[in-house]
Amino acid sequence: MDSEHLAEALRAGVRRTFKQVPREQELQSWRASPKTVAKVLVDAGLGEVIVLLEMSTLASDARIDMLLVGSHPECGELSVVVVENKQWSQLHVLRGTRRVVHPGSGPEGSQHPVEQAWDYCRTLQHHLPMLHRRFHGLVNLHKAPAEEVAKLVPPACGLRSEVDLARMRIFGSAPDARQEMGEFLASVLSGENAARHRRLIDQAHVRPSEALMLAAQEAVRGRALFTLLDEQRTAVDRVFQTVEEGFTENNKQVFIIVGGPGTGKSVLALELLGLLSAVGSAAVHASGSNAFARALREHVKGRRGGVESIFTYFHQHRRRTRNHLDVLICDEAHRLRKDSNLRYDSVEDRSDTPQIQELINAARVPVFLLDPRQVVRRDEVGTPEEIRRIALEMGIAEGNIHSIELSLQFRQHLCPEYVSWLEDLLGYEDAAPRPWEPSEGFQLLRADHPQQMEDYLRLQTALNRTARITAGYCWKWTKKVQPGGRLANDIRIDAWERPWNADKPIRKKKIPGKDMWATDPHGFEQVGCIYTAQSLDWDYTGIIMGRDYTWHGGRWLATKNEDPAAGGPDRHQLVRNIYRVLATRGKYGAIIYSTDPGTRALLAELGVPPVAQAKTVLDKQHHALAEAVARADDRSTPTQDGLF
């Protein structure tokens, strides 16, 4: 167990297998922790047990420190133990959250290690049905004395009710604790047939288990969104019928479902996932957006724990064998990339295989849901034409490529003409901007200053409506947290200044990270961008148009902004798509402000009502609340600690 040799081997393996660059903290752990477990195994007479290091959870980019593989000493069947290594010598458990503060963690702490190990156990069980319930979890605190370990276990610390304490153990550094750890491992593991069991795991058909699919069906179809109608129901029925009729190795069916903002693509995807799970088809959801996938995971987690692992990312399917899944639902497929290579991949680890080809290869029925006018980066290739081209190159028959169009509006269902008006405003199909006809179903407003927008939206949030402000990428983004745990006010317009959404959460200040900005109520205090807003919505949206898209001389001009991914020969199309996405996030209303006087004049000329007028009406309707909001907001800098 030469520690440096092991660390270097793991560094190379992680880069090669997971396309990740290990952090120094991981290298330190590899040098110190695995050998402490190996010593216990040898001392307990379990030297033939197989140890898998940094194993994939099979459902995410997370990795399991160690998986011990052997036979159960009583029945001889496969038995595994998940090991979570921690080098903590001192710790403190935060009440309420059960997060653990330790040297190097920061004030927000880390996930409780027992719950972390339990989550890994359950994820393996969900995707390797061969495990059944023959698994245990172990936390190896090889530097922690007994008094520190005691802080992590009941009754000193409560755990989630779903954690099966009979299957979980935690051991510290004391000699008697190491001996007890060996005794525990010997009670659930033996080296008998360990190598054979390891081969079975390597060769296993990784897919959602029947129990997970049932849970997914209950969680997804138990949601309270809206019922599918007409074309949405027709699309689901066509895919479902194809799956029911069966298919052979050479009869792959590809579905391309196209719809604009608010046409129910994502709800259709969830309905399809629930239906397929109910009949035992191995179906998985995939997305290219961290924020969107995280929101879906949180949505179903509250209904049925453990099912969030069926929400994956496009690049996670690059190594699936052909037709591993029955159905792969690729939501927000306009975010597909040319390939699945990550920026830190070495030359030898890169692949020329198109990401679309990898996804089609992974399932018997791949389903792509997309809006081609939501392509917002020059490296995104998610268009119906590109998907069809690659499918044909893969030898899929023209008749097996099915195209479905969605047009029925759900998000702006009270004013479906808004999207059409917006597209004309932004110049799609060479259309000219046309006058806005105010609608009772959707409130479109213009602002002469961002403070007017914020004041109006803040009052809407006080009325228990959701709202966010987003902006074009026309200001630099300071990721470094400022002294006192605050964010830098990068967006400055006259005297008004606000921060971009945080890269990572700052829990002490109640500031959400980028993945939760759109759904955490505290996200209102920061300005979002296309990468945190796309695919999500709220009741009211505010849009700040910057210097990158302005109206001059009777036409739109697209200029360079702070996002290199939105540049190049397609800049005009990409920037226009960005503002189309941002302006369609609101279900009941949108407020547009432009830093450009000419663009503001255009909105006024088209008859878009001023937000100041709407704010006056709202103040009169809710006089007492408006005064309370104004008093709370009378400060020189915005709060990032709470909302009303």
Side-chain angles (χ1 to χ4, degrees):
M1 292 292 292
D2 177 76
S3 56
E4 195 57 39
H5 174 78
L6 179 63
E8 288 304 315
L10 286 170
R11 185 209 296 263
V14 165
R15 286 182 64 96
R16 181 177 62 254
T17 305
F18 298 108
K19 310 304 178 185
Q20 296 173 356
V21 177
R23 295 168 289 124
E24 180 59 34
Q25 185 179 355
E26 289 182 287
L27 292 171
Q28 292 176 1
S29 176
W30 295 336
R31 295 179 184 115
S33 298
K35 61 184 178 184
T36 67
V37 178
K39 184 178 187 307
V40 171
L41 288 171
V42 172
D43 290 347
L46 300 174
E48 297 303 314
V49 164
I50 296 291
V51 181
L52 304 182
L53 296 169
E54 299 300 319
M55 176 165 169
S56 165
T57 60
L58 308 179
S60 73
D61 289 336
R63 291 177 264 118
I64 299 168
D65 288 346
M66 306 176 75
L67 185 73
L68 311 183
V69 181
S71 299
H72 197 283
E74 294 182 1
C75 64
E77 296 183 343
L78 169 66
S79 180
V80 301
V81 177
V82 167
V83 177
E84 179 63 25
N85 292 315
K86 300 296 183 187
Q87 298 189 74
W88 307 340
S89 56
Q90 293 179 318
L91 56 93
H92 170 69
V93 181
L94 299 175
R95 289 187 177 184
T97 65
R98 301 180 306 281
R99 296 186 69 84
V100 183
V101 177
H102 54 88
S105 70
E108 70 278 4
S110 303
Q111 182 183 8
H112 194 293
V114 172
E115 294 186 353
Q116 184 180 1
W118 172 254
D119 289 342
Y120 291 161
C121 288
R122 293 288 287 165
T123 300
L124 285 181
Q125 183 194 27
H126 286 156
H127 290 82
L128 281 179
M130 61 190 289
L131 289 182
H132 300 296
R133 292 186 59 82
R134 295 188 297 273
F135 62 86
H136 291 80
L138 182 156
V139 177
N140 176 34
L141 283 168
H142 58 89
K143 290 186 177 180
E147 59 270 19
E148 297 297 314
V149 175
K151 299 176 183 178
L152 293 170
V153 295
C157 174
L159 296 170
R160 294 201 315 259
S161 58
E162 68 186 77
V163 178
D164 186 351
L165 295 177
R167 295 179 177 275
M168 308 302 295
R169 294 290 190 278
I170 182 167
F171 299 101
S173 62
D176 58 339
R178 309 314 288 175
Q179 182 176 346
E180 290 172 5
M181 178 176 166
E183 293 170 354
F184 164 69
L185 291 174
S187 71
V188 297
L189 279 177
S190 77
E192 190 74 22
N193 292 322
R196 182 172 68 86
H197 290 316
R198 174 266 179 100
R199 287 194 297 273
L200 291 176
I201 289 177
D202 281 347
Q203 299 165 5
H205 194 71
V206 179
R207 56 189 292 165
S209 66
E210 291 185 10
L212 179 60
M213 288 188 285
L214 177 61
Q217 185 263 337
E218 293 177 358
V220 172
R221 304 204 71 201
R223 70 198 186 284
L225 293 178
F226 53 76
T227 304
L228 298 183
L229 299 174
D230 302 334
E231 57 192 17
Q232 282 84 4
R233 176 56 59 191
T234 300
V236 166
D237 289 346
R238 283 185 62 183
V239 177
F240 189 70
Q241 181 182 3
T242 300
V243 176
E244 277 197 317
E245 289 176 350
F247 28 74
T248 64
E249 173 76 15
N250 297 316
N251 194 37
K252 191 185 289 282
Q253 308 281 331
V254 177
F255 284 84
I256 305 172
I257 302 176
V258 177
T263 52
K265 298 185 297 297
S266 294
V267 175
L268 186 156
L270 290 179
E271 180 74 7
L272 188 58
L273 182 62
L275 281 171
L276 294 168
S277 298
V279 298
S281 286
V284 169
H285 184 282
S287 166
S289 165
N290 288 339
F292 182 54
R294 178 75 178 271
L296 288 176
R297 288 174 178 176
E298 293 297 319
H299 175 69
V300 301
K301 184 187 294 184
R303 302 179 182 277
R304 183 67 182 264
V307 303
E308 61 271 18
S309 61
I310 61 175
F311 294 99
T312 64
Y313 301 107
F314 293 149
H315 72 269
Q316 291 178 256
H317 300 277
R318 64 190 301 184
R319 289 182 176 80
R320 281 196 187 274
T321 57
R322 180 176 172 82
N323 296 335
H324 241 190
L325 297 169
D326 293 333
V327 182
L328 180 59
I329 303 167
C330 301
D331 205 350
E332 301 292 306
H334 40 260
R335 303 202 66 174
L336 288 163
R337 303 292 180 89
K338 180 181 178 182
D339 52 54
S340 294
N341 296 324
L342 302 178
R343 64 179 182 273
Y344 41 74
D345 284 353
S346 60
V347 174
E348 60 270 19
D349 291 335
R350 290 182 171 269
S351 170
D352 294 330
T353 304
Q355 190 172 72
I356 294 172
Q357 180 177 328
E358 293 171 345
L359 296 170
I360 293 176
N361 183 71
R364 297 179 185 276
V365 180
V367 180
F368 297 91
L369 300 107
L370 65 137
D371 175 3
R373 289 182 176 175
Q374 288 196 46
V375 173
V376 297
R377 294 172 57 98
R378 62 188 181 193
D379 58 352
E380 292 176 344
V381 297
T383 64
E385 296 78 14
E386 185 67 5
I387 295 170
R388 177 178 293 275
R389 183 186 70 79
I390 291 179
L392 291 172
E393 286 184 355
M394 294 176 67
I396 297 172
E398 178 74 38
N400 286 10
I401 305 173
H402 314 278
S403 297
I404 300 174
E405 295 279 343
L406 302 177
S407 60
L408 192 65
Q409 260 291 332
F410 284 90
R411 183 179 297 144
Q412 285 92 22
H413 64 286
L414 298 177
C415 184
E417 62 269 21
Y418 168 65
V419 175
S420 175
W421 178 88
L422 177 68
E423 291 182 345
D424 286 352
L425 170 72
L426 297 176
Y428 285 95
E429 306 294 342
D430 295 324
R434 53 187 168 88
W436 168 250
E437 297 181 7
S439 165
E440 293 184 2
F442 187 83
Q443 191 174 35
L444 176 63
L445 303 168
R446 61 180 170 84
D448 293 322
H449 191 275
Q451 187 65 58
Q452 295 177 336
M453 173 193 296
E454 181 185 326
D455 290 344
Y456 182 78
L457 293 177
R458 192 176 290 281
L459 184 52
Q460 291 287 7
T461 64
L463 291 167
N464 294 320
R465 292 158 183 160
T466 57
R468 292 292 184 276
I469 296 176
T470 61
Y473 219 135
C474 296
W475 294 266
K476 291 185 178 181
W477 178 22
T478 304
K479 293 187 178 182
K480 185 178 180 181
V481 178
Q482 305 303 292
R486 302 185 68 82
L487 300 174
N489 288 325
D490 288 319
I491 303 174
R492 299 173 182 268
I493 303 172
D494 298 329
W496 187 85
E497 51 186 49
R498 295 295 181 268
W500 285 112
N501 56 261
D503 184 33
K504 297 179 180 178
I506 307 173
R507 293 185 175 87
K508 189 175 182 179
K509 291 288 184 178
K510 299 181 181 179
I511 299 174
K514 59 186 177 183
D515 292 349
M516 297 301 293
W517 169 85
T519 54
D520 188 312
H522 297 91
F524 181 77
E525 301 299 337
Q526 305 92 42
V527 176
C529 68
I530 184 63
Y531 302 118
T532 48
Q534 192 173 17
S535 312
L536 301 161
D537 59 31
W538 32 87
D539 294 337
Y540 289 85
T541 188
I543 308 100
I544 299 175
M545 297 182 68
R547 66 179 185 274
D548 56 351
Y549 206 65
T550 55
W551 181 260
H552 284 290
R555 64 190 182 96
W556 289 101
L557 298 179
T559 57
K560 184 178 180 181
N561 59 22
E562 299 295 327
D563 185 4
D570 295 327
R571 175 184 289 120
H572 191 283
Q573 177 181 327
L574 296 175
V575 174
R576 179 173 60 186
N577 286 352
I578 287 171
Y579 285 116
R580 175 179 177 269
V581 171
L582 297 181
T584 53
R585 299 305 92 192
K587 290 180 283 188
Y588 305 119
I591 302 97
I592 302 176
Y593 166 77
S594 174
T595 58
D596 173 61
T599 306
R600 294 200 300 271
L602 171 67
L603 294 173
E605 180 183 330
L606 296 176
V608 179
V611 69
Q613 180 179 318
K615 176 68 162 52
T616 300
V617 173
L618 203 60
D619 285 347
K620 291 180 179 179
Q621 293 174 342
H622 306 278
H623 180 67
L625 182 60
E627 285 192 341
V629 170
R631 285 194 302 270
D633 198 40
D634 184 16
R635 53 193 184 276
S636 59
T637 56
T639 180
Q640 293 174 2
D641 295 326
L643 296 176
F644 303 103

